[in-house]
Amino acid sequence: MYGHPTLHYFFYTLVVISALIFGANGDYLIGVGSYDMTGPAGGVNMMGYGNFDQNTAGIHFRLRARTFIVAQSSDGPRFAFVNLDAGMASQLLTIEVLQRLQKRYGDLYNEENVAISGTHTHAGPGGYLQYVIYSVTSLGFVPQSFDAIITAIELSIAQAHDNLKPGSIFINTGDLENAGINRSPSAYLFNPPEERARYPRDIDTLMTLLKFVDAENGKSIGAFTWFATHGTSMSRDNKFISGDNKGAAARFFEDWFTSTSKNASTPINNYSKKLNNRGLLEKAAKIKATGGQPCSNTTSQGFKVRKNDGSLFVGAFCQSNVGDVSPNVLGAFCTDSGLPCDFNHSSCHGNDTLCVGRGPGYPDEILSTKIMGERQFRKAVDLFTSAKEELTGKIDYRHVYLNFTNLEVQLEGNEVVKTCPAALGPGFAAGTTDGPGVFGFEQGDTEVSIDPSMKLKKIETTTLTQPKLYNSQSKVKLNLNSSTLLHNLN
Ligand SMILES: *[C@@H]1O[C@H](CO)[C@@H](O)[C@H](O)[C@H]1NC(C)=O
Ligand SMILES: *[C@@H]1O[C@H](CO)[C@@H](O)[C@H](O)[C@H]1NC(C)=O
Ligand SMILES: *[C@@H]1O[C@H](CO)[C@@H](O)[C@H](O)[C@H]1NC(C)=O
Ligand SMILES: *[C@@H]1O[C@H](CO)[C@@H](O)[C@H](O)[C@H]1NC(C)=O
Ligand SMILES: *[C@@H]1O[C@H](CO)[C@@H](O)[C@H](O)[C@H]1NC(C)=O
Ligand SMILES: *[C@@H]1O[C@H](CO)[C@@H](O)[C@H](O)[C@H]1NC(C)=O
Ligand SMILES: *[C@@H]1O[C@H](CO)[C@@H](O)[C@H](O)[C@H]1NC(C)=O
C-alpha cells in the first residue's frame, strides 16, 4: 500500500551544527563508533517498498550504526550524530535511545543534541516504527528488528563517547554527477520556470564531507559524507538484507582507509569489476549453520561480523535531501516492451507496475549497488584527501518538532492560507519507478480510476502487533478493513 520510497516522518526534525564556522581555535573532543545492527535475516518484512511479499531471506552484507560525537570539552556542549543502515530512524527508536543514554550519562545526551538518521536503504528488516502506516506490511511491530537497531545505536554512541579525544574537523564539498537522476521529471516541471532557472539540473549533486582528525598523531579517525540518492539499487523483489549503495560505499571507504594506512601506495580498488567470487563462495560454504544453537566465536555471527571497538576508522555515507533522486540512473523502462515509460504517468499502457528503473549494472542489481556505492566512495576519497578547510568555533544545535497541520502561509498579495492535515493523494499508491506500488494507480493521477478496495483485500482483518506492548510481547487484533484504511489514507 505505501509503496512510496520517500515516505518520511510526520514531524520534521531540524538539526543544525551551527556557529561551527565562526570563532577561533576550535579544537574539539571527537569520538567515532560503529556497531552491527543487522537484525532478523529470515521471514521479516523489509522496510521501504511496502511490499507484502518482500521478506528477509539471507544477507547480502551486514548493516551498521555509525556514530560521531563532537564535544566542546569533557562536560561541555556536544552533538551526537548516528547514521543507520536503515530506511529511516523512528520516533520510538529516539525515545528508547534517550532513555538508555539517560541511564548511562544523565543529561549529557538528550532530545536536543542527538540526531539519528537513516541511509534510506530499502533492504533492511522493518517493523520498528510506531505509526501504523509504516507497519502494515510487516503486520505490526517486530521486536527483533527494534532490538537490533536500538542496541546498535546505544553501543555505537557509547563507543564514540568512550573514544572522545582531542581532534579537529575539516569540511569539503564537491559535485557528484553520475550518482542520481530525478525519477519524477514530469512532476519537477510543475515547479515555476523562474524557480527551475535557479538550478542547473533537476537534482542536487552536492556531496558534503566532514573529516575527523586525531590531534595527537594527525591521523584521521573517521569521515561522514552527505549526498542525496535513494537506497533503492536493490529492488523491491530483493530478499537479502543489504546496506544498499550507501552501505556498500561505507565498506569500500573503510577498507580503502585501512589498506592505505598500511601501505601509502595502495591503489583504489575497482569494486565494479566483475570479480571471480569462487574464493569467497568456498569460504562461505565452510561456515556451518549452528542448527539453532547460539553462535560461537568460529561460527556464523561471531566469525563473520566485522569488529570495531571505535578505535578503527569509521566511514559513513548519510542521506541528505533525497526527494525524488534515484540511483537507477539508466532511467525507467517498461518490463514488457523495453521501451521508455509514459513520461507523465511513469506507467506502461496504463499499468504502473510495468514501469521500473534500471541501475547501471542492469539487470544485475547487486552490481548496480556496487557501482553506485563505488561512485559515492570515489568522490568521498577525493574530498577526503583534498579537505583543507578547518571548522572552528563553538558547538551549538537546534532541534524543532513542527506540526505541519494548519501552518499559516503567506501568498503573493498578502493572502494568508493554511496547510491541510496530513493527506496522501492517489498517486502515492502508484509508488515510484524505483518500486512501483499497486496496479490501478498511476503517478500524476488526481483521481482514483478503479475500485481501490480490490487491492486492499489482503490486509483485511490483519493482525498487527502494537509497539506499546513491546515488552509484554502480546498481540492485538486490529480490525483493519479496506474502507477504514482507505479512509485513513485519504
Ligand atoms: C604497496 O602496494 C603496492 C601496490 O599494490 C605494491 O606494489 C607494494 O608492494 C606494496 N608495498 C608493501 C610494503 O606492501
Ligand atoms: C572499473 O571496472 C569496470 C569494468 O571493468 C570499468 O567499466 C570501469 O571503467 C572501471 N572504473 C574505474 C574508475 O576504473
Ligand atoms: C573461542 O573461544 C574459546 C573459549 O571462549 C577460546 O578458547 C578460543 O581461543 C576462541 N577462539 C578464537 C579463534 O577466538
Ligand atoms: C505531459 O503533460 C503535460 C501537461 O501537464 C503536457 O503538456 C505534455 O504534452 C505531456 N507529455 C506527454 C509526453 O504526454
Ligand atoms: C499489470 O502488470 C502486472 C505485471 O507487473 C500484471 O501482473 C498485471 O496483470 C497487469 N495488469 C493489467 C491489467 O494488464
Ligand atoms: C497537529 O495539529 C492539529 C491541528 O491543530 C491537531 O489536530 C493535531 O493533534 C496536532 N498533532 C500533534 C501530534 O500534536
Ligand atoms: C469496516 O470498518 C468500518 C468502520 O469501522 C465499518 O463501518 C464497516 O462496516 C467495516 N466493513 C467491513 C466489511 O467489515
Side-chain angles (χ1 to χ4, degrees), residues 186 189-190 341-345:
S186 60
L189 291 175
F190 282 104
C341 311
D342 175 304
F343 180 70
N344 280 339
H345 295 287

Side-chain angles (χ1 to χ4, degrees), residues 297-320:
N297 56 5
T298 53
T299 56
S300 198
Q301 193 194 39
F303 181 59
K304 288 184 283 185
V305 176
R306 288 177 177 215
K307 301 282 190 310
N308 187 354
D309 58 5
S311 62
L312 302 179
F313 180 85
V314 174
F317 287 74
C318 314
Q319 194 55 269
S320 60

